[in-house]
Amino acid sequence: MTLASGDLGSLGMAVMNQPHRPSEAFAPHLRVRGLTIRRGERLLFEDLAFEVRAGGVLLVRGPNGVGKSTLLMALAGIVRPDAGTIEGVERTRLHLLNYRSGLKPRLTVAENLKFWRAMHGATGLDEDAALEVVGIDGLGGLEAGYLSSGQLRRLALARLLVSKRPVWLLDEPSAALDAEGEALLGRLIDAHRASGGIAIVATHHDLMLADAAGVETLMLGGGA
Amino acid sequence: MSGFGALIGRDLKLAFRAGGEALTLVLFFVMVAVIVPFAIGPDRPQLSRLAPGIVWIAAFLSMLLGLDRLFRADDEDGSLTLLRHSSLPLEAVVAAKVIAHWLVTALPLLVATPVLALLLSMSWEQWGRTVLALVIGTPGLVSFGALGAAVTVGLRRGGLIAPVLILPLAIPVMIFGVGMLDPLAGSGATLFLIALSLVVTAFSPFAAALALRAAGE
């Protein structure tokens, strides 16, 4: 299903008319209604509505500057929307991945990962296993400042694996990744979906997902 | 390890790994004391009379100068945003960072005070009172500083804005800090300094977290 921002108002109504379900303890269910965000004087989007169920992926697309990152920041609770509600995504149950990866160049790769594991909860893989999954095992003792930008991005992805959280908000996750890295990203999102997680991905690239079912696209800015 | 401890541990590691940044403040602190005798002359009784004030000015300025980096690095690399999704509330994150900042900026000053005592011909008794006053007063300074740093974190080149902003707030810390060093004064200044430090330390994580949340938008 492709949503254009033109007919979002009616879709918002359709969502609202659905009977309210009791909130599930583990299965994430993200519901956004009537979301309006301004940045300064500029209206980025108005009355945006969508919903993503467990195992679903939402691709957010649109030209540069249309508000993809701002939408993710709003879902992450950093940017306060001017109107509308966001349900089903709690502060401690989401991972945000954007170009500012929160990695310290003067700490080693393992120390960076260990820190975020302590902060976000040691509920996922341990550091070594996560580094192996993202293909930078053996670099754990190296200061992160020596990594290439592609390796840094892999390390940032490893952060999502050391703490298991149901909602992933990924902003251009494939930036700086090579072809093999993009395939890895696809596999990670596949595995995340298989375990019932949801992913909201703002990207200009096609994700290399095994299964396109349940992948929806949200087009911002009305363009095709 | 809990998130609180992990955050303090990371900030300490970064401070000592970043090429002795922690030491630049101590050097500044000592430098002020080194140049003062040259400026006011080597009159020992006079130096010793002025010493408490000089130590407080040196400590005050070096604490203020170190403020800017309390949240800035974490804001620039996105850590601050990600920390908002941690299992700790943002208030606890701020508290952990304030503790780490105190350990990195104030503790080295306390260790360096014997050097100042020597340079300013302080008596041992005077030195003891000075250290005590700094131990009580510096948490208050760091906490006021956290407020200033949080409010200015969104500014691209904040630099000296945070120190200027909190200077008026922090001046009472210095007034009571110096007052405590007067051997003829009663315990009034000491109690005021303790009260001030405790209140600011207790409230600043909440106020600073509020400012950081607003800055994130």
Side-chain angles (χ1 to χ4, degrees):
Chain A
M1 181 174 62
T2 302
L3 310 177
S5 51
D7 53 37
L8 285 168
S10 55
L11 190 96
M13 287 310 293
V15 171
M16 291 224 273
N17 288 337
Q18 282 186 351
H20 181 72
R21 299 148 162 261
S23 67
E24 301 92 324
F26 293 105
H29 183 181
L30 176 68
R31 274 162 297 197
V32 171
R33 291 169 198 170
L35 192 68
T36 300
I37 296 185
R38 276 169 226 281
R39 294 303 256 172
E41 293 297 299
R42 208 160 74 87
L43 179 69
L44 283 180
F45 35 80
E46 196 170 15
D47 208 15
L48 193 67
F50 58 84
E51 93 181 271
V52 188
R53 292 169 184 282
V57 171
L58 181 72
L59 297 179
V60 183
R61 320 206 95 155
N64 292 137
V66 80
K68 300 189 292 294
S69 300
T70 307
L71 174 61
L72 289 190
M73 292 297 261
L75 294 176
I78 307 292
V79 170
R80 204 178 340 187
D82 291 276
T85 57
I86 299 168
E87 286 173 35
V89 47
E90 291 151 46
R91 185 177 71 83
T92 55
R93 297 187 71 205
L94 66 89
H95 271 309
L96 175 70
L97 176 78
N98 60 16
Y99 69 99
R100 298 193 304 171
S101 51
L103 301 170
K104 296 288 183 189
R106 300 306 298 265
L107 295 182
T108 68
V109 169
E111 281 170 340
N112 269 301
L113 211 47
K114 200 169 167 219
F115 170 70
W116 286 116
R117 190 162 188 258
M119 295 311 295
H120 285 167
T123 45
L125 301 173
D126 66 25
E127 293 94 33
D128 292 338
L131 288 177
E132 200 178 328
V133 170
V134 299
I136 50 171
D137 46 324
L139 299 180
L142 196 67
E143 284 192 4
Y146 293 116
L147 296 188
S148 74
S149 50
Q151 288 172 321
L152 277 174
R153 182 45 66 120
R154 283 165 184 257
L155 176 55
L157 285 170
R159 174 169 63 77
L160 308 188
L161 304 178
V162 292
S163 309
K164 198 162 174 45
R165 293 186 163 193
V167 179
W168 284 9
L169 305 171
L170 312 178
D171 192 355
E172 286 296 347
S174 54
L177 286 179
D178 53 17
E180 205 268 311
E182 286 189 37
L184 163 75
L185 175 68
R187 287 199 302 277
L188 293 181
I189 296 177
D190 279 334
H192 179 58
R193 294 177 68 192
S195 68
I198 66 180
I200 319 283
V201 189
T203 181
H204 295 289
H205 298 268
D206 287 318
L207 294 177
M208 296 167 76
L209 299 179
D211 181 11
V215 178
E216 299 187 2
T217 303
L218 173 67
M219 189 59 98
L220 291 178
Chain B
M1 186 163 47
S2 75
F4 198 80
L7 186 51
I8 294 179
R10 179 191 77 150
D11 276 13
L12 292 184
K13 242 183 240 168
L14 283 172
F16 289 108
R17 237 174 249 182
E21 237 188 291
L23 287 180
T24 50
L25 289 179
V26 187
L27 278 180
F28 178 83
F29 181 63
V30 175
M31 261 163 53
V32 172
V34 168
I35 58 172
V36 163
F38 292 102
I40 64 174
D43 178 358
R44 293 186 66 129
Q46 193 184 17
L47 265 183
S48 140
R49 204 172 61 248
L50 295 176
I54 295 166
V55 172
W56 262 101
I57 290 173
F60 195 77
L61 290 180
S62 48
M63 299 292 293
L64 289 192
L65 287 179
L67 272 187
D68 193 52
R69 62 159 193 254
L70 184 47
F71 298 117
R72 187 165 303 278
D74 277 349
D75 180 56
E76 279 170 357
D77 70 13
S79 298
L80 211 50
T81 305
L82 298 179
L83 284 170
R84 287 174 64 173
H85 302 140
S86 77
S87 30
L88 289 178
L90 189 59
E91 288 78 8
V93 167
V94 172
K97 288 197 71 69
V98 166
I99 291 171
H101 191 73
W102 186 86
L103 290 173
V104 169
T105 59
L107 201 58
L109 299 194
L110 293 173
V111 174
T113 47
V115 180
L116 269 73
L118 206 65
L119 289 165
L120 301 172
S121 71
M122 291 163 95
S123 66
W124 284 115
E125 196 263 334
Q126 236 183 342
W127 171 76
R129 295 175 75 93
T130 307
V131 170
L132 189 63
L134 286 175
V135 167
I136 299 172
T138 45
L141 280 184
V142 173
S143 301
F144 272 128
L147 277 179
V151 168
T152 57
V153 75
L155 303 176
R156 274 293 151 262
R157 297 198 45 83
L160 277 175
I161 296 185
V164 170
L165 199 66
I166 66 131
L167 186 74
L169 294 171
I171 277 179
V173 176
M174 180 141 90
I175 293 175
F176 295 121
V178 176
M180 197 182 145
L181 299 182
D182 183 353
L184 301 176
S187 60
T190 313
L191 293 177
F192 264 115
L193 188 61
I194 292 172
L196 189 63
S197 242
L198 284 176
V199 169
V200 181
T201 309
F203 282 110
S204 81
F206 297 95
L210 196 68
L212 288 177
R213 284 203 182 94
E217 298 210 353

